[in-house]
Amino acid sequence: TGGVMMVLQAIRGYCVSYSSMRQTTRIKYFYFQALMRQEVAWHDRHPPGELISRMDGDIKVIERALGDNVMAGLQHIGTIGFGFGVAFYNGWELTLFMLGAMPFIACVSALMGRVMLKATSKTREGYAKAGAIALEAIDNIKTVQVFGREEFETDRFATAVAPTVSAGIRKEFATYVTTGVNDFVLYTIYGLGFWFGAYLIRWGRNSVSEVLTVFFSALTASYAIGQLSPCLSTFLEGAGAAGKIFAVIDRLPPMDSITKPEGAVTDPTNEPIKIAGGEPVMDGPKPIGLSLPKDKFQQSITFKDVAFSYPTRQEDKLFTKLNLTITKGQTVAFSGASGSGKSSIV
């Protein structure tokens, strides 16, 4: 039996690890693809460091939730069902008595779930902002040191991290309070179960062996309920982290560079992108840019009284009343100071 368990546990570990790695790799791919397809105005509102931090930190949290945590949760759920099934078969009265605490435990767990989701979302958001500040400061460390802004950048980082401390404390407090309350209720039920079981034996409703079978079956199921709380906590943390990731993946920008319109240029190899394990991430031709056939472009490109500013800096106009005509076959070069709108015109 020990050898069989060892082999089955090894197979389970391999399958779960392989499955979670495949899923998180696909999530990373689609998240990065979604980042590449968003318009410049969207990126102007989201610092690059925050996006990179989410790709690294949040997806690791998702991987942890999708890994062995899921299988352990399913195992505990099966233990709960089987344990209470055996208990009901041998003595339904004592089993019902011991199940009296389940609604209370369910309410406490539901309350913990709400607190966990809110705290996890706030924690991940704070870490993402702090990561963005750290990346910005380290990438420009020479400039920071030249202007003597080391203390200023440190204070910015500390301000971004500060909200995560209180959120993390609330999350851990909710987890341990829930575990403590559940243990208190379960141990109380154990004592009352022995007391009620003695009366059932005395009244001749159950034998000693039946009471012991019911008690230890319910005990095993109750222990599984206690072990289910950490799994639920990890899963809720992964769900909170996944919210921001999938919000980016599901967002469709006003100008979508991924959807294949008429005239799109695709990869001539027409081969699906694959991950390390050989599984395709995206099937079909991959758009690599947009072009308009030469025979369909017969006129000119015209700007007439065009004004432009980015949504996050609407008070800073890159240009106003821009009037420009570029005819077919004409070569035009844009020159000017940095930030004058050359790339925005293109």
Side-chain angles (χ1 to χ4, degrees):
T1 304
V4 173
M5 287 292 295
M6 181 182 67
V7 173
L8 293 178
Q9 288 286 357
I11 293 175
R12 188 192 78 165
Y14 172 79
C15 292
V16 170
S17 299
Y18 180 76
S19 175
S20 62
M21 286 299 298
R22 281 188 66 238
Q23 292 182 71
T24 52
T25 300
R26 289 173 65 86
I27 291 173
K28 281 184 179 180
Y29 169 80
F30 287 117
Y31 179 71
F32 186 76
Q33 183 190 58
L35 293 181
M36 294 296 99
R37 74 192 295 185
Q38 303 304 321
E39 72 277 12
V40 176
W42 183 88
H43 281 282
D44 200 41
R45 296 192 298 269
H46 298 81
E50 178 181 340
L51 302 176
I52 294 173
S53 177
R54 290 197 181 280
M55 181 184 295
D56 182 37
D58 288 12
I59 293 181
K60 283 184 178 179
V61 174
I62 296 173
E63 180 181 346
R64 196 161 57 243
L66 291 176
D68 195 61
N69 178 74
V70 173
M71 294 305 300
L74 293 176
Q75 179 180 341
H76 295 321
I77 292 173
T79 302
I80 293 169
F82 187 78
F84 281 120
V86 172
F88 269 111
Y89 178 79
N90 286 275
W92 63 271
E93 292 174 310
L94 180 57
T95 305
L96 283 178
F97 179 83
M98 298 185 70
L99 278 174
M102 292 302 107
F104 183 77
I105 293 176
C107 292
V108 173
S109 299
L111 181 61
M112 181 203 71
R114 292 186 60 183
V115 174
M116 284 287 298
L117 279 176
K118 291 181 180 179
T120 298
S121 179
K122 191 170 183 179
T123 301
R124 301 311 310 173
E125 184 177 351
Y127 285 151
K129 291 181 180 179
I133 294 173
L135 180 64
E136 179 184 2
I138 293 174
D139 280 348
N140 300 278
I141 188 62
K142 293 182 180 178
T143 305
V144 171
Q145 291 182 348
V146 165
F147 289 96
R149 305 294 283 177
E150 296 91 341
E151 186 174 353
F152 173 78
E153 294 297 336
T154 303
D155 291 340
R156 283 181 63 205
F157 182 83
T159 302
V161 170
T164 65
V165 176
S166 58
I169 291 174
R170 286 197 302 271
K171 182 182 71 172
E172 296 301 326
F173 181 75
T175 300
Y176 288 112
V177 165
T178 303
T179 303
V181 170
N182 287 347
D183 288 345
F184 171 77
V185 173
L186 290 176
Y187 284 119
T188 302
I189 290 296
Y190 296 161
L192 294 176
F194 271 119
W195 171 79
F196 186 62
Y199 275 99
L200 291 176
I201 296 172
R202 184 176 178 181
W203 297 336
R205 305 293 295 270
N206 293 107
S207 64
V208 175
S209 61
E210 288 175 336
V211 169
L212 290 177
T213 301
V214 170
F215 182 81
F216 285 108
S217 297
L219 177 65
T220 303
S222 300
Y223 178 77
I225 293 175
Q227 293 298 310
L228 191 60
S229 294
C231 296
L232 179 62
S233 174
T234 304
F235 187 78
L236 290 174
E237 187 176 0
K244 295 289 186 180
I245 296 294
F246 282 96
V248 176
I249 293 175
D250 295 337
R251 184 181 185 273
L252 293 177
M255 299 179 63
D256 191 357
S257 62
I258 298 298
T259 303
K260 181 184 175 184
E262 182 181 359
V265 180
T266 57
D267 188 346
T269 62
N270 201 28
E271 295 179 354
I273 301 174
K274 295 184 177 181
I275 60 177
E279 297 290 338
V281 176
M282 184 179 72
D283 297 322
K286 302 175 287 296
I288 57 175
L290 301 177
S291 69
L292 187 66
K294 295 181 179 180
D295 58 345
K296 291 188 178 182
F297 181 74
Q298 301 294 341
Q299 299 181 3
S300 62
I301 300 174
T302 302
F303 293 82
K304 185 176 181 181
D305 294 332
V306 175
F308 179 78
S309 63
Y310 286 109
T312 55
R313 303 188 303 272
Q314 295 186 5
E315 68 281 358
D316 298 331
K317 300 290 185 181
L318 290 182
F319 43 79
T320 57
K321 294 186 177 181
L322 174 65
N323 293 280
L324 175 66
T325 299
I326 304 174
T327 59
K328 179 182 178 182
Q330 184 179 7
T331 301
V332 177
F334 297 106
S335 63
S338 176
S340 60
K342 302 184 296 296
S343 301
S344 300
I345 293 174
V346 176

